Amino acid sequence: MKNSTEIKKTDHAEHEVSRLKQEVERLSALLEISDYLASTLDLDELLLRVMEVTRKQLNAERCTVFLIDFERDELWSKIAMGVQEEIRFSLDKGIAGHVARTGETLTIKDAYADPRFNPEVDKKTGYRTRNLLTMPMRNKKNEIIGVFQVLNKKEGSFTAEDIELLKAISSIAATAIENASLYDELNKSFVSFVETLSITLDARDYITSGHSRRVTLYSVQVARLMRLPKKEIELIRYAALLHDIGKLGIPEIVLFKNKKLTEEEYNIIKRHAVLSKSILSKIRFQRHLKEIPQIAAAHHEKIDGSGYPQGLRGDEIPRGGKILALCDVFDALTSRRQYKDRMDIVEVMDILEIETGRSFEPFVVYHFKNITLNVLIEILEFGHKEDFKAQDLELLRNYTLKDLIRIRKQGAENDEEFQAAEIFMYYYQRKYRGE
């Protein structure tokens, strides 16, 4: 049998093995965070990853990273575990606010016993905070830019080792978050520039006002239904917003003519696709957006090769170009004009059906038909959102464009289908003052 000295040595050795194992796990977690933070500038993805690793390593239920909004003197978290919406509150509220103002690190064993605790977030989310560890996050200049908050240690209270680990994570994350925030601001400026350019173009072409924005909304919906990667959806979105920018180079006397075009005038109009590519090719896009000019220029290509400007066929046409081509035609057929009403929706879809396999990629058409009617009518009636009844949109959410065409052609199978079709057609056919 082992004597007491041997037992103590064994216990000590096991304790050391356990401690070293824990240290290795925590070091691995830091390396994991470092590697990940170096590979992304997407602020949402970055925050989610940091919070998940922190929660796991500190054996807690939740973790939230609050950033300081210096313009509004608020703390905010766009991404919070277990919460579907953004959290915002004043810098003078709660333990997180106290830490952001003072720079203290606080370990609270009983949240509701601390007068600084703000229970409003718990009330809003239905969560019950028991204990928490809250630490300021500092940038390279040692300025506080946010707060780490770890909630509800699963066993016992937060320890000195937890504080040291969170301090290391905070140090690594702060630089990455600052860089991501800067990138996010630059990206917002870029998006604002693109959208303003698109709106300016639509404002110039009063006959097709809102066309670029609607084509963009349709295209993004189709891309999402196709489950395309986030970056490709972003690429398609910008290409759609700018696909008609070449019309800036088309003489107004031709562009705004509301009578049938001559062959020569039509050839002049067709030049806008080449001009779009030429104009956009002069813009220095980020690497993942470099295909914008090619996609934008391909919105009049047809998969049988009879389109323009290059006569591309099949897989020679960029996937985004195929999506834009369908959405561009759909919007042209369903838009109101000063001199005509919208074409009947069944007639529109019959035209698209005939052109499927010739002008349009069948897979794109298939997904377009699966756009839900609430989304479809909101895009069709873009700019009139306040006129929709919430209960109407809720009912339309249950049916797709494909369902609508079936109901219109074959009749409704029940009262709800009939009602949904009637509601859609009411919004689709209504007119506004001045039309």
Side-chain angles (χ1 to χ4, degrees):
M1 293 182 65
K2 293 182 179 180
N3 58 37
S4 59
T5 302
E6 290 174 328
I7 291 172
K8 287 181 180 179
K9 285 182 178 180
T10 301
D11 289 345
H12 178 72
E14 289 177 350
H15 175 74
E16 279 299 300
V17 169
S18 177
R19 187 183 66 80
L20 288 172
K21 183 179 179 182
Q22 186 180 42
E23 287 299 315
V24 168
E25 286 179 354
R26 293 193 166 192
L27 179 59
S28 297
L30 291 177
L31 291 173
E32 182 183 352
I33 289 175
S34 298
D35 288 344
Y36 187 79
L37 298 191
S39 68
T40 184
L41 283 171
D42 186 303
L43 188 58
D44 291 356
E45 290 183 16
L46 188 152
L47 291 174
L48 274 173
R49 189 61 178 163
V50 168
M51 288 188 291
E52 180 55 36
V53 173
T54 303
R55 181 199 65 77
K56 181 180 177 182
Q57 290 302 317
L58 270 63
N59 194 29
E61 289 181 2
R62 290 186 180 182
C63 176
T64 304
V65 178
F66 292 105
L67 301 179
I68 297 178
D69 185 333
F70 292 98
E71 291 184 1
R72 298 168 62 171
D73 286 330
E74 291 178 336
L75 282 171
W76 68 278
S77 179
K78 186 177 181 182
I79 304 292
M81 289 182 170
V83 182
Q84 299 299 319
E85 57 190 64
E86 179 180 284
I87 297 174
R88 262 186 191 274
F89 53 87
S90 173
L91 267 173
D92 61 5
K93 284 190 175 183
I95 290 172
H98 177 86
V99 169
R101 295 193 313 275
T102 65
E104 293 181 61
T105 295
L106 295 178
T107 304
I108 309 296
K109 293 183 179 181
D110 185 349
Y112 280 83
D114 193 300
R116 295 166 297 188
F117 179 69
N118 175 23
E120 289 179 13
V121 177
D122 273 10
K123 290 177 182 177
K124 187 176 182 180
T125 62
Y127 186 71
R128 176 78 179 184
T129 302
R130 299 190 305 275
N131 53 55
L132 62 161
L133 168 60
T134 311
M135 177 180 292
M137 186 166 52
R138 300 177 183 271
N139 62 14
K140 291 179 182 178
K141 297 179 181 179
N142 205 38
E143 300 166 332
I144 297 174
I145 61 170
V147 171
F148 258 101
Q149 192 162 75
V150 191
L151 307 178
N152 291 359
K153 180 86 170 178
K154 292 180 180 179
E155 295 178 6
S157 302
F158 290 101
T159 64
E161 288 80 9
D162 291 332
I163 294 174
E164 287 303 309
L165 178 60
L166 188 59
K167 188 182 295 183
I169 293 174
S170 176
S171 178
I172 296 169
T175 300
I177 289 172
E178 193 171 30
N179 290 340
S181 296
L182 177 60
Y183 173 81
D184 193 47
E185 285 301 312
L186 289 172
N187 191 54
K188 285 177 181 176
S189 296
F190 171 74
V191 172
S192 176
F193 165 74
V194 171
E195 290 182 343
T196 301
L197 196 59
S198 178
I199 291 168
T200 302
L201 175 63
D202 277 351
R204 175 178 181 261
D205 189 353
Y206 62 88
I207 292 176
T208 60
S209 180
H211 169 73
S212 296
R213 183 59 63 91
R214 291 191 299 271
V215 169
T216 300
L217 294 171
Y218 291 131
S219 298
V220 168
Q221 282 299 316
V222 172
R224 286 174 177 166
L225 289 169
M226 292 173 69
R227 299 184 183 277
L228 299 186
K230 183 178 178 180
K231 285 191 174 182
E232 187 171 357
I233 294 174
E234 184 182 21
L235 172 65
I236 290 169
R237 178 174 179 239
Y238 296 142
L241 280 168
L242 298 171
H243 76 282
D244 271 344
I245 195 170
K247 286 184 177 179
L248 292 173
I250 303 300
E252 291 186 0
I253 194 170
V254 177
L255 188 64
F256 300 150
K257 185 176 179 181
N258 60 5
K259 297 179 182 179
K260 186 176 181 180
L261 298 173
T262 65
E263 185 176 349
E264 182 182 358
E265 289 169 336
Y266 181 57
N267 286 331
I268 291 173
I269 288 285
K270 286 168 65 176
R271 285 169 41 202
H272 80 275
V274 172
L275 289 173
S276 287
K277 185 175 182 180
S278 177
I279 293 169
L280 295 174
S281 294
K282 291 178 173 61
I283 299 175
R284 188 182 179 90
F285 292 108
Q286 298 171 50
R287 187 180 303 171
H288 73 284
L289 300 176
K290 66 180 181 179
E291 292 181 37
I292 285 177
Q294 289 79 12
I295 293 173
H299 71 278
H300 283 295
E301 299 287 1
K302 299 180 180 181
I303 64 170
D304 67 358
S306 64
Y308 65 88
Q310 292 181 273
L312 302 177
R313 65 171 61 240
D315 290 339
E316 294 174 346
I317 306 171
R319 181 158 56 186
K322 294 177 181 179
I323 294 173
L324 261 61
L326 175 64
C327 297
D328 183 77
V329 171
F330 180 83
D331 187 69
L333 295 175
T334 57
S335 293
R336 294 186 179 92
R337 297 286 187 265
Q338 289 86 343
Y339 48 87
K340 71 179 183 68
D341 291 333
R342 281 175 168 154
M343 183 182 290
D344 182 82
I345 191 69
V346 173
E347 292 180 30
V348 171
M349 294 311 296
D350 284 344
I351 291 172
L352 298 188
E353 197 67 44
I354 291 169
E355 291 299 318
T356 298
R358 299 195 309 203
S359 297
F360 309 123
E361 177 67 56
F363 192 58
V364 174
V365 177
Y366 169 81
H367 285 290
F368 189 89
K369 290 177 182 177
N370 283 315
I371 296 178
T372 55
L373 294 183
N374 63 309
V375 171
L376 187 67
I377 198 63
E378 286 192 274
I379 299 174
L380 282 160
E381 294 290 88
F382 183 76
H384 297 283
K385 187 175 182 179
E386 68 282 356
D387 295 329
F388 291 111
K389 293 180 180 178
Q391 62 266 34
D392 289 347
L393 294 177
E394 193 61 35
L395 177 59
L396 293 178
R397 189 185 305 276
N398 300 323
Y399 298 93
T400 65
L401 176 56
K402 180 171 61 178
D403 294 327
L404 175 69
I405 302 307
R406 172 183 57 79
I407 295 167
R408 296 284 291 171
K409 283 186 172 183
Q410 301 173 15
E413 295 180 358
N414 52 58
D415 290 342
E416 184 180 281
E417 283 193 353
F418 176 80
Q419 185 182 5
E422 289 295 300
I423 288 172
F424 181 91
M425 294 310 299
Y426 163 75
Y427 288 115
Y428 185 78
Q429 294 172 336
R430 69 178 174 174
K431 292 185 178 183
Y432 297 94
R433 186 174 298 175
E435 290 188 350

